[in-house]
Amino acid sequence: MSPSTHLTSLFDPHIETKIMKILIVDDEKLARARLKHLVSSLINNPELYEATNGREALFTVNATRPDLVLMDIRMPVMDGLESAMHLSHMENPPSVIFTTAYDQHAVEAFEVNAVDYLLKPIRKERLETALEKIAPISANQIKNVRNDNQMSSSRSHISVQMRGHITIIPVTDIVYFMADNKYVRVRTNAERHFLEDSLVSLEQEFEGKFLRIHRNAIVSIAHIRGMEKQTSGRWHVHLKDINETLEVSRRHTAAVRNWIRG
Amino acid sequence: MIRLLRKRHLLRFKGWGIFFQIFSITVLFSLISGLSFYKNFDSKLPLGLVAFVIFGCLVTLCSFIPLRLLYRPIQKLHLLTATLVTLSIASISSFAVVRLAAEFVPALPSVLATTPWPPENPTSTALFVALMVTIGYCLILQIAVNSRRERMARRKNISNRMKALQGRIRPHFFFNTLNSVASLIRSDPDSAEKAIEDLADVFRVVIKSDRKLVSLAEEVEISKQYMNIEKLRLGERLEVAWHLTEDALNASIPSLTLQPLLENAVYHGIEPALEGGTITIDCNCEEERLHILISNPVSAMPSTRESGNKIALKNIKERLKRQFGGDVRINIRNTLERFNVAIDTPYITIRSTY
């Protein structure tokens, strides 16, 4: 098992002391085992990490800062495409190569957007060429892939940047989004975060899960307890687990009331 | 043209189609009226035309209402009769509307009177309008029928192809299995060998084009081999519990009744769940009937997986019906935690051909 000549020149310990760190993400143990074996036969003493789904991959990336992520697409909790999208928003994101056994739509989307992917069972030579030209995926590229893939494009989690780390919030935990200058405030039962996004695009993405109650706020339908008229004549929404009320603008009162009744 | 006026399409005015039809008839109607109007060109032209368009819209809309109400009875008639009835209803109702309108709206006769023809007499005017509506109908129906036919043919073609594709095993399963085997060859050659043998048996059954009757025991055997392969891949995430009675195993069912349902259970119930879960299969018979119950957990996490299109289930139902006639029941019960499919067929046994 002699390491490839190209890769030794790239990662020659005499020239550069940095060891290549690679994260393997796949929900199937056998698939991870095979990929680990292939990578070790191509690269001298790589530092290998494993994760079993997209969300775990994000935690591992935070903790270990790998150079490259080999990412499966279909996984429980969070799929590979969404995970890669959260990664692409990081500072100095790792490179990502997707792996898939059979995903017609995804493969078409990768081709169109020039994103590298490997078909399982992966050939050693194919992995070698892919390792030689690794490059980070831009946020735009991965966004286009997700759009072209025709799978549901709404995220299962929201990622928030904090001091170079990413924090992951399940969308089901989010109580409301509120626009605040150029940011969007995210409120869960326990935490508050800031997000660089637009309320309009969030509203479109999570249509059916969140309800517009005001020009500056959309609220999770699952977290609404009820609606009450204040002495000022304005309606306010009450939330299930937090003691906060949100004002409903006149324009949206009818829609919110219909939803609560319906 | 009558050939084209197939009664199925003749009266299906749904969604935007109705607006399109009303609009087209009105434009035609106003054009013809406008032509005769043009001869008598004067300063009233734009106003008169607008009045005509609005008036035409109203009349056409009114003539649609009785048709909409009589939609079902007319659909049952013979093609030619249905066409005649449709056209006569359209002309009679538009005639009636105009005649009534002329009685009660005093301004109407004077607006209509700006044209040299039809004459001022409200009855003749109404006749003229009815004629226009009828001609409009004929033309529009022809266009509508043509385009609808084409669309239907295209949709049918796609759905046939989909069915043919979905009736088989998921390609995803095949490639994933090969990947597992590629991994096992190094670490556990015996398991790899067993997996290849199982895969060969499953595929032998799947690629067979005729779906003959097999004993439930045979079907269970192939399903167990299928589950072994999946278990290799999913490890402890997949648990399977079989509850089979002796007499149920002797029952006959069409080949590949169980396996596609188990495939669905794995795909929708186990794969998206982090912790996995247990799939249970219960087969027993009672009072000359075979009961099969397949149950899988429902993932608590919001799944990004496209929801099932129920094609496997539909295929199985079709095949069971072909085999047993109408005496087949398939019930789906979806609780918060589990997704259950219950199949209930007559209990028959055959001498196995194996």
Side-chain angles (χ1 to χ4, degrees), chain A residues 87-136:
Chain A
L87 284 178
S88 69
H89 291 302
M90 287 178 73
E91 276 172 52
N92 306 319
S95 307
V96 176
I97 300 175
F98 289 100
T99 65
T100 179
Y102 183 89
D103 252 312
Q104 227 174 349
H105 295 310
V107 165
E108 275 164 25
F110 292 148
E111 293 284 358
V112 169
N113 298 291
V115 171
D116 214 0
Y117 66 92
L118 298 166
L119 288 174
K120 290 192 275 190
I122 295 160
R123 282 171 187 274
K124 192 172 164 183
E125 306 83 65
R126 185 67 188 79
L127 177 64
E128 189 176 354
T129 21
L131 288 175
E132 278 164 25
K133 53 171 194 188
I134 53 170

Side-chain angles (χ1 to χ4, degrees), chain A residues 50-259:
Chain A
E50 291 179 49
T52 60
N53 63 61
R55 189 166 69 168
E56 203 184 308
L58 294 177
F59 296 140
T60 318
V61 167
N62 266 342
T64 62
R65 294 287 159 165
D67 307 291
L68 170 68
V69 181
L70 292 165
M71 182 89 83
D72 185 28
I73 296 177
R74 281 170 190 268
M75 287 181 289
V77 187
M78 186 194 283
D79 68 63
L81 294 179
E82 186 180 340
S83 183
M85 193 180 66
H86 293 307
L87 284 178
S88 69
H89 291 302
M90 287 178 73
E91 276 172 52
N92 306 319
S95 307
V96 176
I97 300 175
F98 289 100
T99 65
T100 179
Y102 183 89
D103 252 312
Q104 227 174 349
H105 295 310
V107 165
E108 275 164 25
F110 292 148
E111 293 284 358
V112 169
N113 298 291
V115 171
D116 214 0
Y117 66 92
L118 298 166
L119 288 174
K120 290 192 275 190
I122 295 160
R123 282 171 187 274
K124 192 172 164 183
E125 306 83 65
R126 185 67 188 79
L127 177 64
E128 189 176 354
T129 21
L131 288 175
E132 278 164 25
K133 53 171 194 188
I134 53 170
I137 298 176
S138 74
N140 240 348
Q141 253 177 320
I142 187 70
K143 204 175 132 203
N144 290 339
V145 167
R146 276 168 59 79
N147 286 342
D148 294 346
N149 188 34
Q150 303 175 343
M151 262 163 77
S152 74
S153 56
S154 82
R155 287 169 277 179
S156 63
H157 294 70
I158 295 281
S159 60
V160 185
Q161 282 276 5
M162 273 203 310
R163 294 178 295 276
H165 275 55
I166 34 182
T167 307
I168 300 297
I169 312 160
V171 171
T172 45
D173 285 4
I174 295 170
V175 182
Y176 62 78
F177 292 105
M178 190 174 277
D180 190 345
N181 290 323
K182 56 186 275 235
Y183 293 99
V184 172
R185 280 199 281 149
V186 184
R187 179 75 160 102
T188 67
N189 284 339
E191 301 156 59
R192 293 160 204 269
H193 298 277
F194 279 97
L195 199 66
E196 242 176 299
D197 211 327
S198 86
L199 207 59
V200 175
S201 69
L202 289 167
E203 186 187 9
Q204 278 167 3
E205 184 175 351
F206 301 115
E207 201 193 338
K209 291 179 193 153
F210 283 78
L211 193 67
R212 170 78 76 162
I213 61 159
H214 195 274
R215 193 166 44 83
N216 72 2
I218 56 175
V219 182
S220 163
I221 285 171
H223 286 86
I224 296 179
R225 198 183 68 203
M227 194 164 145
E228 195 184 43
K229 199 169 189 173
Q230 306 290 83
T231 43
S232 62
R234 284 300 182 94
W235 288 86
H236 278 235
V237 158
H238 289 261
L239 303 164
K240 272 185 184 148
D241 301 303
I242 44 179
N243 195 17
E244 243 178 76
T245 63
L246 298 170
E247 187 181 320
V248 183
S249 72
R250 272 207 192 98
R251 230 183 84 197
H252 296 98
T253 308
V256 178
R257 196 189 297 137
N258 279 345
W259 181 83

